[in-house]
Amino acid sequence: METEDFIYKSKTSKILTNGAFSWQAPSNIALVKYWGKQESQIPQNASISFTLNNCHTRTKVHLDKKEKSETFTFDFTFEGKKNDAFKPKLAQFFNRIIIYVPFLKDYHLQIFSENSFPHSSGIASSASSMAALALCIMSLEKALNPEMSGTYFYKKASFLARLGSGSAARSIEGPLIVWGKHPTVDDSSDLYGVKYTKTIHKVFHNYQDTILLVDQGQKQVSSTIGHNLMHQHPFAAKRFGQANNNLTRLSEVIKTGDLEIFMQLVELEALSLHAMMMTSMPYFILMKPNTLAIINAIWEFRRVTKTPVCFTLDAGANVHVLYPEAEKIKVQSLIDAHLLPFCQKNNYICDSVGNGALEI
Ligand code: PMV
């Protein structure tokens, strides 16, 4: 599908004067990372992620019909309190999507949102929050155009979410989502995420992700700035090629369940993402000393016990510890004995692979 296919064209004369739509959308953790984009959040390479189960955003949108107006209006309440701090980011999102959902101008929107994870945990909430909001908007479009197919509904939700935050394109469905055109993934697109439909080995069906909260503060460098630094990055072209190759190799591993290669690729991706940050101009480091202490402790535990446990990182200091469900008890002992002291206030979140957003 092309960008033009997502422009709303009124097919029915259905009128909705008011109403409310609610969705819960998950966070996701990339195995092959997206870092570097063109205009309109078009990724420079394909990425693949596990959809998470417990970390999510719940959003409710109340609609009130108003006189047709050229300006779009909304209020935003976050975790029970009116919140103006997030409004500029939301206004930017609405500006980007209004051409695809022009009917929004006919309504005043009241948006209520809450996260299942602590706001200041350093876990990026933009993916789950933009996805939940995009799904509420699609429910409105579906109410105006009831004949819309389920496939179109989810594709357009991902398309809209992408315009809010690139990685949000991967927060609609599950358990594995590919975003970005890739020769080995049928129907893959730069415009939206698609469900990974090839064989998934059973070891990945309930893969675990324990998120160790190393630094619960505000990120020093936003991902927007980081992505933009890839434009003049000396290693950019090599990095985009490497990511696409890693996705080809990972899709083989997803089929065979070869955890040695899985762990190697996932850790290589995490460190390559941070290597890009450390070698851009200006350069920056988002890892903290405790991030490295955790990585070393995981490597030592893996060497001694042969447990298939590995790590990945987002654009921050927190560490995602990834392992099969069958290794839960062993990995919990690693966390309790060796990793907790490196977490801020001993905080961590237990999550696992999930199946995507839910209407609530
Ligand atoms: O969605 P953004 O623009 O915040 O980009 C985030 C990219 C990473 O989380 C660092 C990697 C990824 O693919 O999720």
Side-chain angles (χ1 to χ4, degrees):
M1 287 177 81
E2 302 304 322
T3 301
E4 292 66 41
D5 299 321
F6 294 107
I7 298 175
Y8 176 77
K9 293 168 199 83
S10 175
K11 294 185 187 80
T12 64
S13 52
K14 233 178 148 50
I15 294 171
L16 191 78
T17 48
N18 54 38
F21 301 101
S22 301
W23 280 85
Q24 171 179 307
S27 187
N28 70 77
I29 181 68
L31 304 173
V32 171
K33 309 289 181 182
Y34 146 67
W35 198 244
K37 62 180 173 184
Q38 302 161 35
E39 272 295 288
S40 312
Q41 326 264 73
I42 295 299
Q44 294 278 21
N45 61 262
S47 56
I48 186 167
S49 53
F50 275 142
T51 302
L52 295 182
N53 194 44
N54 301 333
C55 289
H56 57 246
T57 299
R58 284 173 166 233
T59 296
K60 181 174 194 168
V61 175
H62 270 284
L63 304 152
D64 284 303
K65 187 110 170 88
K66 60 179 191 197
E67 283 307 305
K68 195 153 185 89
S69 119
E70 276 318 297
T71 52
F72 169 72
T73 55
F74 69 98
D75 292 315
F76 182 63
T77 302
F78 183 66
E79 300 190 337
K81 291 200 196 94
K82 263 236 149 59
N83 187 310
D84 288 338
F86 290 146
K87 276 187 100 174
K89 174 120 186 150
L90 286 167
Q92 183 191 48
F93 170 61
F94 286 119
N95 278 336
R96 287 181 185 161
I97 66 167
I98 202 76
I99 169 171
Y100 306 105
V101 283
F103 50 81
L104 284 183
K105 285 189 194 153
D106 302 343
Y107 297 92
H108 176 74
L109 266 58
Q110 283 175 281
I111 306 165
F112 301 86
S113 201
E114 57 190 35
N115 290 339
S116 65
F117 47 91
H119 168 53
S120 58
S121 59
I123 298 184
S125 59
S126 55
S128 54
S129 57
M130 289 301 173
L133 184 53
L135 285 157
C136 292
I137 294 167
M138 285 311 294
S139 284
L140 168 61
E141 181 168 333
K142 172 108 182 137
L144 298 172
N145 173 22
E147 277 119 65
M148 180 196 299
S149 74
T151 313
Y152 183 83
F153 181 97
Y154 285 108
K155 274 193 179 154
K156 186 164 174 182
S158 173
F159 173 91
L160 296 178
R162 181 199 102 235
L163 290 165
S165 170
S167 56
R170 299 188 313 244
S171 269
I172 305 288
E173 296 178 274
L176 274 160
I177 301 294
V178 173
W179 168 47
K181 187 95 199 102
H182 194 273
T184 67
V185 181
D186 290 346
D187 296 330
S188 55
S189 169
D190 286 346
L191 302 179
Y192 46 82
V194 295
K195 230 171 133 129
Y196 183 83
T197 51
K198 291 193 196 173
T199 312
I200 301 176
H201 190 278
K202 64 177 186 320
V203 74
F204 297 117
H205 287 176
N206 198 14
Y207 225 67
Q208 305 290 303
D209 178 6
T210 302
I211 310 162
L212 305 178
L213 304 178
V214 171
D215 182 29
Q216 306 183 45
Q218 196 71 25
K219 268 195 279 183
Q220 309 134 322
V221 181
S222 75
S223 62
T224 309
I225 294 174
H227 283 291
N228 283 338
L229 290 173
M230 289 305 282
H231 289 307
Q232 313 83 25
H233 201 294
F235 308 142
K238 281 270 181 235
R239 164 60 198 152
F240 304 142
Q242 177 205 32
N244 284 326
N245 284 339
N246 284 345
L247 180 41
T248 306
R249 294 185 62 204
L250 197 67
S251 62
E252 192 51 33
V253 169
I254 290 170
K255 183 166 77 193
T256 61
D258 185 331
L259 293 183
E260 283 306 314
I261 305 182
F262 175 79
M263 294 190 293
Q264 203 178 63
L265 288 170
V266 165
E267 292 186 345
L268 173 65
E269 273 295 312
L271 295 177
S272 299
L273 167 71
H274 282 256
M276 290 302 108
M277 302 171 186
M278 290 159 73
T279 50
S280 61
M281 185 54 84
Y283 42 80
F284 58 101
I285 302 180
L286 294 184
M287 289 185 283
K288 298 281 180 198
N290 283 350
T291 311
L292 294 179
I294 290 170
I295 291 173
N296 280 311
I298 291 173
W299 283 346
E300 182 59 12
F301 183 80
R302 192 159 84 208
R303 190 183 65 77
V304 173
T305 67
K306 309 278 179 271
T307 308
V309 51
C310 71
F311 73 88
T312 189
L313 305 167
D314 239 329
N318 296 334
V319 182
H320 290 247
V321 185
L322 300 178
Y323 50 97
E325 194 185 19
E327 307 295 346
K328 226 172 164 170
I329 293 172
K330 275 201 225 154
V331 175
Q332 191 60 49
S333 72
L334 160 72
I335 293 170
D336 292 340
H338 301 292
L339 306 184
L340 264 195
F342 302 122
C343 298
Q344 229 175 40
K345 300 190 194 129
N346 286 349
N347 274 339
Y348 66 95
I349 295 173
C350 294
D351 214 332
S352 57
V353 171
N355 287 319
L358 293 173
E359 188 160 20
I360 46 177

